[in-house]
Amino acid sequence: MRKGRALSLIALPIAASLVLTACGGGGGSQSGGNENTEVSIFGTEPENPLVPGNTTETGGGKVVQAIFTGLVKYSNSFEVKNAMAESIELTKPDQYTIKLKQGWKFHDGTDVKAKNFVDAWNYTAYSPNGQQSASFFEQIKGFRDVNTVDPDGANGPQKAPEPKAKEMSGLKAVDDYTITVDFTEPHVIFKVKLGYSAYMPLPDAFFKDAKAFEAKPIGNGPFKFVSRTPKQDIKLERYEEYKGDDKPKIKKVKVAIYTGTEAAYAAVKGNQLDFLDTIPPSGLAGNLWKTDLKGRSQSFQGLSVQILNFPVYDKKYQNADFRKAISMAINRKEITEKIFEGSRKPTDGYAVDGVTGWSPGGCGELCQHNPTEAKRLFDKSGFTGKLEITSNADGGHKEWIEAACGQIKAALSLECTFAPVATFGEIRKKINAHEMTQVYRGGWLADYPSVENFLNPLYRTGGSSNDGGYSSPAVDAKLAEADRAGTEAESYKLYHEAEKLIANDMPAIPLWSTPSQAGWSNRLKNATMSAYRELDLSTVEVA
């Protein structure tokens, strides 16, 4: 989320902000090929300092994925391949043994060893450190000794008890290049997760001076950090000692921070920006982007889904009939066809069609347009007042949210309006603080290619991106059962059952999958997108 990442949520997690002033691209004024040309790519302001275990949205994730390399990586077709791992073997039903490749170094010249993974994972899991990705380690033995839960939530007067330990007992650096991971129960899908940012290593320098690291992050990936000017740009440079087989051809990258995709789209058309991963609605209208960017644009399949989130910690949204009524009042097919020119596919579940472990029908009739049933549920809910749906103002979401509001108003006779917030960072801070009082747009870009990643982080109690505060003992139990299943097939069957339970509570409304329409300047060649819907920096070149 890539919250996803909240497109992050998508994370989808995901999109956002800033002024076009001073954030133009690398443009066509420069020349000199891969070695001398700075390639500029669209970016959004990171939510937090670029510490991998605390980066769950796409603004920061874009940079973290460039400057760090994990144990595995994902191909553009979502295949899982070893990266820093020499081997990852299931040595017991509840234990993985990981061997590292030798000779890899961090950007400060220090070796990447087993302890760098173990120390980083323990740091992220330790609850007083407040890392957003802590829950990614909850299946490891000893997690509950390092991570305690606030008994009445972040807004209550009580505090989480002090953890009994700072290191998970199930995580060990056996020698410089061997890690063993023991789980409380079998966890067969663990290997798939290991390319996500939560599992990146951290250099010793981080533990000596975290503030200095935050000012100048030190990774082990194909690019090293050069500089960051808040709300303007982040500059990276190829790391010449990089040992991976995905060493980039281009030397310099500038992540140009924008306030919106509209401005970025204009910049790409004019060749002031080299790459944009999300074409705005104005470009999608009438498929204008295909002529505006003829020969330098393409649609790519992604692992992202668009959703609407309810802050269920707010009493106003705690009636499931109300939430289901909103879902059934929305005509997904009409919006995807009229606003997105058919480039989005309505979803009937919480995951993306075709992802490993996915089965159709997770949401069923609750995700189908049915104004009559929606009105019945709405009247039953007793909801009063008006409905506001909020999002960052500049991520290209205004049009479809206003369309959804029109449908809701027509079906339920409920006043519904779009309530924009200036920047993505601004809205994320309120979401993380559980201060939302409105229904809000969410997007989820999967962290790794598995249906599990569309469920556990978002809907499990305490999940890393469970922003709405949803909690269901039945869902938690079913997800836990799926996590510890002895085979992948059994796991996926149980995840599907969990998905149906989630839909019946409707803590979030799944809307449509979001393939990426990307465009680029006329000076790039071999432009394609990575598994994370970003420009594949390992293959792109300057024409």
Side-chain angles (χ1 to χ4, degrees), residues 17 26 37 56 64 83 98 122 154 159 186 214 222 224 239 249 253 292 304 351 355 377 381 440 463 480 512:
S17 10
T37 304
T56 59
V64 165
I98 301 166
N122 277 322
K159 294 183 178 179
E214 291 177 2
K224 59 183 181 182
Y239 178 47
K249 298 176 178 61
V253 173
D292 280 348
S304 62
V355 72
L377 289 168
S381 75
Y440 58 96
W512 44 77

Side-chain angles (χ1 to χ4, degrees), residues 307-314 316-318 322-323 326-327 330 383 386-392 400-401 404-405 408 414 416-421 427 431 435-442 506-509 511:
I307 59 178
L308 283 178
N309 276 316
F310 294 95
V312 295
Y313 48 79
D314 187 327
K316 186 176 181 180
Y317 306 108
Q318 289 179 352
F322 169 72
R323 301 192 296 261
I326 299 300
S327 174
I330 297 173
F383 183 90
K386 64 180 183 180
L387 179 67
E388 288 187 332
I389 302 177
T390 188
S391 171
N392 48 303
W400 70 260
I401 291 176
C405 268
I408 291 167
L414 171 65
C416 177
T417 56
F418 173 49
V421 173
I427 196 170
I431 290 170
E435 293 176 349
M436 298 299 294
T437 58
Q438 304 152 312
V439 176
Y440 58 96
R441 177 196 68 81
M506 198 63 71
I509 298 174
L511 295 171

Side-chain angles (χ1 to χ4, degrees), residues 29-161:
S29 60
Q30 297 176 325
S31 61
N34 293 327
E35 293 302 312
N36 299 312
T37 304
E38 182 180 73
V39 172
S40 59
I41 62 177
F42 171 78
T44 58
E45 187 72 12
E47 176 189 12
N48 294 314
L50 300 168
V51 178
N54 205 31
T55 301
T56 59
E57 45 76 43
T58 53
K62 183 192 298 279
V63 182
V64 165
Q65 288 293 333
I67 64 177
F68 286 90
T69 293
L71 294 166
V72 304
K73 60 184 179 181
Y74 311 120
S75 72
N76 296 354
S77 57
F78 314 133
E79 182 184 1
V80 181
K81 298 179 177 179
N82 285 346
M84 261 219 70
E86 184 70 44
S87 64
I88 305 173
E89 296 183 0
L90 194 64
T91 40
K92 297 178 184 176
D94 56 357
Q95 182 192 70
Y96 267 105
T97 297
I98 301 166
K99 298 281 188 182
L100 302 186
K101 293 174 181 175
Q102 300 185 27
W104 283 58
K105 293 186 180 297
F106 286 107
H107 302 154
D108 62 357
T110 57
D111 291 333
V112 186
K113 297 182 178 180
K115 70 181 293 292
N116 296 112
F117 284 93
V118 170
D119 290 349
W121 297 6
N122 277 322
Y123 179 87
T124 302
Y126 186 60
S127 52
N129 290 332
Q131 300 294 284
Q132 294 184 5
S133 296
S135 65
F136 280 87
F137 302 94
E138 63 186 349
Q139 287 87 10
I140 296 177
K141 193 175 293 183
F143 174 79
R144 280 300 161 207
D145 292 334
V146 304
N147 190 287
T148 56
V149 179
D150 189 333
D152 57 358
N155 296 325
Q158 300 184 60
K159 294 183 178 179

Side-chain angles (χ1 to χ4, degrees), residues 344-400:
R344 308 290 194 267
K345 182 179 180 181
T347 181
D348 70 347
Y350 287 88
V352 172
D353 181 353
V355 72
T356 303
W358 174 85
S359 298
C363 184
E365 63 181 15
L366 294 171
C367 284
Q368 294 176 7
H369 183 224
N370 186 338
T372 303
E373 180 62 8
K375 186 65 166 64
R376 186 189 73 79
L377 289 168
F378 177 71
D379 291 343
K380 182 183 172 188
S381 75
F383 183 90
T384 57
K386 64 180 183 180
L387 179 67
E388 288 187 332
I389 302 177
T390 188
S391 171
N392 48 303
D394 43 25
H397 302 289
K398 174 177 180 288
E399 292 82 356
W400 70 260

